[in-house]
Amino acid sequence: MFIVFEGIDGSGKTTLSRKLQNFLLLRGIKAIWTKEPYTAYIREIVINNKLSAWEETLLFITDRSIHVRELIGPKLEKGFTVICDRFYLSTFAYQGFGKGIPLEDIKKIHRTVIDEVKPDITFLLDIEPYKALERIKSRGNFSKFEKLNFLQKVREGFLELAKEETNTFILNGEKNIYQLLGEVLEILSKKIEIFHLKEK
Ligand code: TYD
């Protein structure tokens, strides 16, 4: 099963997705946790350079292609549950809605480069950008993507995308982590039941 967590910077995806992995591991489920950007070298280029929106788009898609080929695809084939912190909705929301690259163009490249692996379920952690920025400030390091008006566009993008994307659930990122984990587990348990019914 392939589970994706999405949301703006500071929305709490990393903490929640890690908690889910620990929960599954304690129950004997083979689960790995991974994130995007995946490759350290592409992350370094994108984060530390002034690039055009198209250059960023192509680099993030390249990074994802490597991620799927090297890690996600093989692990899914071996029967692991893969939990991924960010996937294609991040590129649609940040480079599409945030930076104005036409969505159709991004989607077309995606279909060509990475078509075979799709999330079974996506959780979108939604939070007011100013609250997310307060959390980031308390961590003490800002990246070039973490500006209020930009994150507002990205947040709206995520919400818009979530409406069209199948099996996508919006969670209120302002709730406490255990409440959120409870909601994730409840949704997953229903989803797993459906999987089992389909298999029968
Ligand atoms: P982030 O999740 O913060 O990674 P790290 O914990 O390694 O810093 O991702 C870095 C930034 O990259 C973040 O601000 C969101 C941005 N990003 C995009 O703009 N598009 C994408 O497709 C992805 C995967 C990330």
Side-chain angles (χ1 to χ4, degrees):
M1 187 169 200
F2 184 26
I3 305 168
V4 169
F5 284 81
E6 293 277 11
I8 60 171
D9 303 70
S11 59
K13 311 171 262 78
T14 308
T15 316
L16 181 57
S17 56
R18 286 279 197 189
K19 283 258 179 307
L20 174 65
Q21 185 206 12
N22 285 338
F23 181 93
L24 296 178
L25 288 175
L26 284 171
R27 268 146 198 82
I29 296 168
K30 296 187 296 182
I32 64 149
W33 180 92
T34 184
K35 67 176 284 264
E36 293 191 354
Y38 165 68
T39 60
Y41 48 99
I42 294 180
R43 181 178 183 280
E44 201 279 326
I45 297 172
V46 181
I47 304 282
N48 297 324
N49 292 279
K50 241 181 139 46
L51 300 175
S52 74
W54 258 119
E55 288 159 355
E56 276 179 11
T57 304
L58 295 173
L59 284 167
F60 280 123
I61 294 175
T62 304
D63 179 69
R64 186 160 307 123
S65 170
I66 299 169
H67 196 190
V68 166
R69 177 171 51 74
E70 278 188 6
L71 185 77
I72 299 174
K75 289 290 181 191
L76 288 173
E77 256 171 46
K78 287 193 187 121
F80 280 80
T81 291
V82 176
I83 300 170
C84 190
D85 183 344
R86 296 194 184 283
F87 203 56
Y88 55 67
L89 288 187
S90 278
T91 313
F92 299 175
Y94 280 78
Q95 281 63 46
F97 285 84
K99 303 228 166 153
I101 300 289
L103 267 191
E104 263 326 297
D105 290 347
I106 305 183
K107 287 184 177 171
K108 198 170 161 205
I109 298 175
H110 246 278
R111 275 197 296 274
T112 314
V113 182
I114 312 152
D115 202 29
E116 71 280 25
V117 174
K118 294 220 168 62
D120 294 301
I121 193 156
T122 301
F123 294 102
L124 169 62
L125 275 164
D126 182 51
I127 185 169
E128 289 277 354
Y130 80 90
K131 289 189 184 155
L133 283 177
E134 273 166 18
R135 288 186 184 172
I136 299 167
K137 246 186 253 164
S138 65
R139 283 185 222 149
N141 55 337
F142 271 99
S143 91
K144 67 175 183 179
F145 293 101
E146 293 157 356
K147 306 240 169 62
L148 188 61
N149 57 355
F150 176 67
L151 288 184
Q152 261 152 356
K153 284 192 243 172
V154 176
R155 179 201 192 190
E156 279 157 28
F158 271 129
L159 290 171
E160 192 72 28
L161 292 160
K163 282 191 225 155
E164 283 154 31
E165 191 77 9
T166 50
N167 291 321
T168 298
F169 297 84
I170 301 170
L171 305 175
N172 178 352
E174 286 165 37
K175 289 188 182 169
N176 89 48
I177 186 77
Y178 293 102
Q179 232 176 323
L180 285 167
L181 182 63
E183 288 178 23
V184 164
L185 292 172
E186 201 185 321
I187 294 167
L188 281 177
S189 64
K190 284 186 195 141
K191 177 87 187 157
I192 288 165
E193 260 171 46
I194 294 167
F195 263 140
H196 289 320
L197 287 176
K198 270 192 200 154
E199 279 166 13
K200 276 178 193 162

